[in-house]
Amino acid sequence: MSFTVAVNSAEQTRAVGQVLAAKLRAGDLVMLSGGLGAGKTTFTQGIGAGLQVKGRVSSPTFIVARVHPSLVGGPDLIHADAYRIKDLTDLETLDLDSTLEEAITVIEWGEGKTEQLSADRLEIEIHREHGGVATSSDGVVDLAEMDDGKRTITIRPLGKRWDATDWERMFSAFEDGQEK
């Protein structure tokens, strides 16, 4: 079973993350996949805002993992990037299993690498269309025009933890990509 939400902007991508954050609790694992620039970190920014964590949520690509402590007594947010992880030995160096039960762990690029951390997890794919038309004004290319902000966010819950979740109701405000 999976559920798909359509969004039209980075702000809406963050808003979907923020709505999801209200359902997350300590011990939850969220695995994010999608191409470069799909919005994985943007989505995690929404989760961080919803959890009210300390610090700016930014891409952990070069840091590999960041801890964002809760400002309101909730669980910490662990934001990790498994892009450079090649095998289980590399994964063990992140020591994610030691904080998994007490934090909410979001892993970018974790597919095929981090599933063994928890049978109960959310696998979320963020998809954006590639291409677009770059406009030029006075010889300067406006790359912002190439990304219209439209994304499809597919949430696949795995394990008993998510059995009672009413995904359709949770994200009804985003029907047809229009936040209400």
Side-chain angles (χ1 to χ4, degrees), residues 35-112:
L36 287 171
K40 297 177 296 293
T41 298
T42 302
F43 186 85
T44 307
Q45 289 169 345
I47 292 174
L51 296 175
Q52 298 181 51
V53 297
K54 182 178 182 179
R56 181 177 165 269
V57 174
S58 58
S59 178
T61 299
F62 298 105
I63 304 298
V64 183
R66 284 192 167 99
V67 178
H68 295 277
S70 174
L71 295 170
V72 294
D76 293 345
L77 171 63
I78 308 293
H79 184 202
D81 186 318
Y83 186 79
R84 290 182 170 75
I85 300 297
K86 294 180 181 85
D87 54 32
L88 288 176
T89 305
D90 281 353
L91 182 60
E92 288 175 0
T93 63
L94 291 179
D95 202 25
L96 294 174
D97 54 341
S98 70
T99 58
L100 192 62
E101 292 305 313
E102 63 212 32
I104 294 166
T105 305
V106 176
I107 303 174
E108 296 185 23
W109 302 99
E111 64 278 358

Side-chain angles (χ1 to χ4, degrees), residues 21-174:
K23 294 290 183 187
L24 295 175
R25 63 183 188 213
D28 285 341
L29 173 63
V30 179
M31 292 173 43
L32 299 176
S33 64
L36 287 171
K40 297 177 296 293
T41 298
T42 302
F43 186 85
T44 307
Q45 289 169 345
I47 292 174
L51 296 175
Q52 298 181 51
V53 297
K54 182 178 182 179
R56 181 177 165 269
V57 174
S58 58
S59 178
T61 299
F62 298 105
I63 304 298
V64 183
R66 284 192 167 99
V67 178
H68 295 277
S70 174
L71 295 170
V72 294
D76 293 345
L77 171 63
I78 308 293
H79 184 202
D81 186 318
Y83 186 79
R84 290 182 170 75
I85 300 297
K86 294 180 181 85
D87 54 32
L88 288 176
T89 305
D90 281 353
L91 182 60
E92 288 175 0
T93 63
L94 291 179
D95 202 25
L96 294 174
D97 54 341
S98 70
T99 58
L100 192 62
E101 292 305 313
E102 63 212 32
I104 294 166
T105 305
V106 176
I107 303 174
E108 296 185 23
W109 302 99
E111 64 278 358
K113 303 171 188 176
T114 59
E115 290 86 352
Q116 74 276 6
L117 288 172
S118 180
D120 290 305
R121 64 183 179 274
L122 294 176
E123 293 181 353
I124 300 175
E125 179 182 2
I126 302 173
H127 177 76
R128 76 173 175 108
E129 294 297 321
H130 293 284
V133 178
T135 58
S136 177
S137 173
D138 299 327
V140 177
V141 174
D142 184 357
L143 295 178
E145 293 294 320
M146 294 189 67
D147 187 348
D148 61 6
K150 292 182 180 180
R151 306 289 192 269
T152 54
I153 302 169
T154 302
I155 301 168
R156 193 173 85 146
L158 297 168
K160 294 184 188 293
R161 157 74 174 98
W162 302 104
D163 284 350
T165 304
D166 185 352
W167 297 102
E168 194 168 318
R169 193 166 116 196
M170 185 187 317
F171 294 111
S172 64
F174 296 94

